[in-house]
């Protein structure tokens, strides 16, 4: 009897201690709300100033073991901008249930016994601003998040995006759902993110009234980022897709396989170094295999302050342009965007950065073409007048340039043959046309001294330094080099595919051939 009484007493004491600790933790969480919201608003103002958003919290209801809270995004009254995402009275809200530590009930259900400040369940609230989204998801929150907050303030979140199967008129969206795991530092300076999604299919009528369908398979995302001394995100990111497929009226038109994009950015002192890696495992058009490609681009010696200024200027101007895009002519929009980029590019020359491509390549069953580049840039002096000629432009901004291009003729002919078949020619006709096209290309290149031909490989080497150009071993001035292009003419026009009036006759000679520009 005494043992039972002792056991019950221990349980009561432990229960009281847990309740007291949970109640105290709930109070600590409430005290940190202001800090968390201030950090979030600081990030919004720094990286999305044009959107004019402000986060706040309300309806905090603290209990012993759990609390309820509502976070709300609204327009910032202190920011008046036509580009604000939310107008006066509009809001996007998130509902949260907070399980108090030191042993949050929500974490105990997941068999996680690590003491923590809190565990938070988050979902999107159905407000008028996002009602259309809830119509697509049949009244469910698009995502839910389970977040564990450590006593240090660091957070670990498991985010689930629900599957979607939506149809309106002749447009459909089928989404398998996605999962993301995110670890974020208390000061929002570090973030590790991993995500994946099995498939997404979007279909609808195109401008020609055809049913066009785009399918993405096997999406993966990985990011390990941190903020550097210039408030620029450093670290490594990768994005991969197993397959991208486009079909029209049920017929496959384009298929891209094993698409991968990666980036790595780091800093050393006041300089930044970056590497960007792109690969494409296979590209097929109308069933024709065009091969695979890759690009490795490196940028070194970027001035950190210059890059920060460039990013701030370009992002702000581009965001402003984006808000006007619906009322602008598409061509005018593209021209204006290119102008914004050009106006800010000179900022990046501070610190004399270097750029290398090693390599850009395309490979098919007959061989591989490659292009390599090493470029050392110069910061133009403030007193320098705008360049009025090619030699002035090179002299002001380029210290050294080395470029090498190699194209095996068999590989090039195979690529052209595949393209010609898309125009309706048979495989045999396409091969004959391709051989003649590549032979013509090689002859023209040699005629104008732009390329050489040796061992069935078309190649070109270009070097520049000290205002002197060396092209395929021959030295010349920038003016002489520019003069080579003024002598080039236009290629002949393309014939119609087989079966049309000017198509090649059965067994006859091949008429005028399609140009490489096609």
């Amino acid at each position: 009897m005494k043992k039972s009484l002792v056991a019950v007493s221990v349980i009561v004491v432990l229960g009281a201690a847990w309740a007291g600790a949970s109640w105290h933790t709930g109070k600590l969480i409430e005290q940190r709300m202001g800090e968390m919201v201030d950090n979030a608003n600081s990030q919004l103002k720094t990286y999305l100033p044009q959107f004019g958003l402000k986060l706040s919290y309300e309806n905090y209801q603290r209990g012993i073991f759990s609390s309820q809270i509502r976070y709300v995004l609204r327009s910032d009254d202190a920011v008046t901008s036509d580009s604000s995402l939310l107008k006066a009275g509009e809001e996007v809200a998130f509902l949260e249930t907070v399980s108090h530590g030191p042993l949050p009930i929500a974490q105990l259900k997941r068999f996680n016994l690590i003491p923590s400040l809190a565990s938070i369940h988050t979902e999107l609230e159905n407000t008028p601003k996002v009602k259309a989204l809830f119509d697509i998801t049949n009244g469910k929150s698009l995502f839910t998040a389970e977040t564990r907050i450590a006593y240090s303030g660091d957070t670990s979140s498991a985010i689930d995006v629900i599957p979607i199967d939506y149809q309106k008129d002749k447009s459909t969206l089928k989404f398998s759902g996605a999962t993301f795991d995110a670890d974020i530092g208390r000061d929002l300076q570090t973030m590790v993110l991993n995500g994946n999604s099995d498939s997404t299919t979007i279909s609808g009528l195109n401008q020609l009234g055809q049913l066009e369908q785009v399918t993405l398979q096997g999406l993966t995302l990985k990011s390990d980022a941190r903020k550097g001394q210039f408030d620029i995100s450093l670290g490594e990111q990768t994005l991969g897709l197993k397959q991208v497929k486009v079909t029209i009226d049920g017929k496959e038109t384009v298929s891209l396989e094993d698409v991968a994009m990666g980036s790595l950015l780091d800093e050393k002192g006041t300089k930044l170094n970056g590497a960007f890696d792109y690969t494409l495992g296979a590209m097929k058009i109308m069933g024709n295999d065009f091969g695979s490609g890759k690009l490795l681009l490196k940028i070194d010696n970027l001035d950190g302050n210059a890059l920060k200024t460039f990013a701030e200027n370009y992002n702000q101007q581009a965001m402003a342009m984006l808000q006007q895009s619906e009322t602008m002519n598409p061509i005018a929009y593209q021209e204006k965007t290119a102008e914004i980029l050009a106006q800010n590019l000179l900022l990046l020359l501070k610190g004399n950065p270097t750029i290398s491509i090693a390599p850009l390549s395309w490979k098919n069953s007959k061989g591989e073409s490659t292009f390599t580049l090493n470029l050392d840039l110069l910061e133009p002096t403030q007193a320098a007048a705008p360049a009025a000629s090619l030699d002035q432009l090179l002299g002001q901004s380029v210290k050294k340039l080395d470029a090498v291009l190699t194209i095996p003729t068999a590989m090039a002919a195979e690529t052209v043959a595949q393209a010609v078949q898309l125009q309706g020619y048979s495989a045999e006709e396409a091969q004959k046309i391709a051989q003649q096209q590549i032979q013509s290309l090689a002859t023209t290149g040699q005629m104008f001294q732009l390329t050489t031909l040796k061992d069935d490989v078309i190649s070109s080497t270009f070097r520049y330094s000290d205002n002197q150009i060396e092209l395929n071993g021959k030295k010349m001035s920038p003016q002489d080099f520019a003069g080579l292009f003024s002598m080039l003419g236009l290629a002949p026009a393309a014939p119609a595919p087989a079966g049309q009036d000017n198509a090649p006759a059965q067994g006859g000679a091949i008429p005028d051939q399609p140009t490489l520009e096609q």
Side-chain angles (χ1 to χ4, degrees), residues 179-477:
T179 61
F180 296 92
D181 294 319
D183 296 327
I184 303 175
R186 172 178 176 168
D187 55 3
L188 305 181
Q189 298 298 298
T190 61
M191 181 178 73
V192 177
L193 177 66
N194 291 283
N196 64 81
S197 177
D198 289 337
S199 65
T200 302
T201 300
I202 303 171
S203 62
L205 298 180
N206 61 20
Q207 295 179 343
L208 300 178
Q210 302 166 310
L211 182 61
E212 185 171 337
Q213 180 174 288
V214 179
T215 301
L216 309 179
Q217 298 277 357
L219 172 67
T220 58
L221 171 65
K222 294 183 179 181
S223 176
D224 188 348
R226 69 186 188 281
K227 290 291 177 60
Q229 60 180 311
F230 303 104
D231 285 333
I232 294 173
S233 182
L234 307 176
E236 185 174 5
Q237 291 83 35
T238 59
L239 175 67
L241 276 167
K242 190 66 177 176
Q243 185 182 64
V244 180
K245 184 167 63 176
V246 180
T247 62
I248 297 180
D249 286 341
K251 185 177 181 180
E252 183 178 306
T253 56
V254 178
S255 176
L256 307 178
E257 298 178 3
D258 296 326
V259 182
M261 295 170 280
S263 66
L264 176 63
L265 187 63
D266 202 357
E267 63 184 11
K268 186 176 182 180
T270 61
K271 299 299 177 68
L272 300 175
N273 305 312
F276 307 88
D277 190 3
Y278 305 91
T279 60
L280 175 60
M283 181 175 75
K284 298 179 181 179
I285 302 177
M286 303 295 290
N288 290 6
D289 188 355
F290 276 76
S292 60
K294 61 182 178 181
L295 167 64
L296 178 59
L297 171 67
K298 292 184 178 180
I299 303 177
D300 295 320
N301 217 37
L302 272 174
D303 183 84
N305 280 314
L307 181 58
K308 180 181 179 180
T309 303
F310 168 83
E312 291 174 347
N313 291 354
Y314 180 76
N315 287 340
Q316 290 179 8
Q317 295 174 42
M319 286 291 183
M321 283 292 301
L322 183 62
Q323 299 303 319
Q324 306 173 32
S325 60
E326 295 183 359
T327 60
M328 291 183 64
N329 178 283
I331 296 179
Y333 175 77
Q334 293 177 5
E335 291 177 348
K336 188 64 176 178
T337 302
E339 181 182 333
I340 291 173
L341 180 61
Q343 289 173 349
N344 292 284
L345 271 178
L346 288 179
L347 291 170
L348 298 180
L349 295 182
K350 184 177 181 180
N352 303 331
T354 63
I355 299 174
S356 68
I357 297 176
L360 166 64
S361 75
W362 193 262
K363 182 179 181 180
N364 61 24
S365 60
K366 301 297 183 179
E368 181 177 13
S369 294
T370 62
F371 172 74
T372 60
L373 171 74
N374 289 287
L375 174 62
D376 295 349
L377 295 169
L378 292 170
E379 178 186 2
T381 61
Q382 295 182 354
S389 61
L390 176 63
D391 59 326
Q392 290 182 9
L393 177 63
L394 290 173
Q396 289 181 12
S397 57
V398 177
K399 178 180 180 181
K400 183 180 179 182
L401 189 157
D402 288 302
V404 178
L405 173 68
T406 60
I407 307 175
T409 55
M411 178 271 171
E414 176 68 12
T415 300
V416 174
Q418 296 281 11
V420 171
Q421 286 186 67
L422 297 179
Q423 301 178 39
Y425 290 90
S426 67
E428 182 180 355
E429 292 168 341
Q431 285 293 334
K432 292 180 181 179
I433 292 173
Q435 292 292 341
Q436 293 184 15
Q437 288 260 340
I438 298 305
Q439 182 60 46
S440 176
L441 175 66
T443 301
T444 302
Q446 293 178 90
M447 181 185 304
F448 291 99
Q449 307 174 33
L450 297 177
T451 63
T452 62
L453 179 64
K454 183 178 180 180
D455 298 329
D456 295 324
V457 175
I458 300 172
S459 62
S460 180
T461 60
F462 179 93
R463 293 182 172 85
Y464 169 84
S465 63
D466 300 325
N467 206 35
Q468 185 74 35
I469 289 176
E470 182 179 322
L471 178 63
N472 299 319
K474 181 179 180 180
K475 294 184 177 181
M476 62 184 72
S477 68

Side-chain angles (χ1 to χ4, degrees), residues 97-109:
T97 300
V98 183
S99 297
H100 304 162
L103 294 175
I105 295 177
Q107 292 295 316
L108 292 177
K109 292 179 179 179

Side-chain angles (χ1 to χ4, degrees), residues 13-166:
V13 170
L14 290 176
W18 186 8
S22 295
W23 178 87
H24 178 67
T25 299
K27 192 173 182 179
L28 289 177
I29 295 171
E30 186 175 10
Q31 292 172 353
R32 288 192 179 182
M33 288 297 177
E35 177 188 350
M36 295 168 62
V37 169
D38 288 344
N39 282 341
N41 283 323
S42 176
Q43 298 294 314
L44 288 173
K45 288 182 179 180
T46 300
Y47 298 102
L48 300 173
Q50 295 299 118
F51 289 167
L53 297 176
K54 185 175 183 179
L55 181 68
S56 61
Y57 70 94
E58 58 188 34
N59 299 338
Y60 185 75
Q61 302 174 16
R62 177 160 54 88
I64 295 177
F65 295 105
S66 65
S67 300
Q68 306 291 326
I69 191 171
R70 185 175 188 260
Y71 284 99
V72 187
L73 274 174
R74 296 188 178 95
S75 60
D76 189 351
D77 295 336
V79 179
T80 56
S81 173
D82 294 335
S83 61
S84 297
L85 288 182
L86 300 176
K87 307 304 179 184
E90 295 180 337
E91 61 183 30
V92 176
F94 305 91
L95 301 178
E96 293 193 345
T97 300
V98 183
S99 297
H100 304 162
L103 294 175
I105 295 177
Q107 292 295 316
L108 292 177
K109 292 179 179 179
R110 300 165 67 92
F111 300 102
N112 189 341
L113 301 180
I114 300 175
S116 56
L117 180 65
S119 179
I120 302 175
H121 172 84
T122 305
E123 59 184 55
L124 186 65
E125 182 183 3
N126 190 352
T127 61
K129 182 62 177 178
V130 295
K131 182 180 181 301
L133 180 59
F134 276 80
D135 290 341
I136 294 175
T137 59
N138 295 320
K140 298 179 180 179
S141 173
L142 177 63
F143 70 90
T144 59
E146 304 294 339
T147 302
R148 175 182 171 273
I149 304 180
Y151 280 99
S152 64
D154 297 342
T155 64
S156 297
S157 299
I159 304 168
D160 289 321
V161 184
I162 66 173
I164 297 174
D165 191 344
Y166 178 74

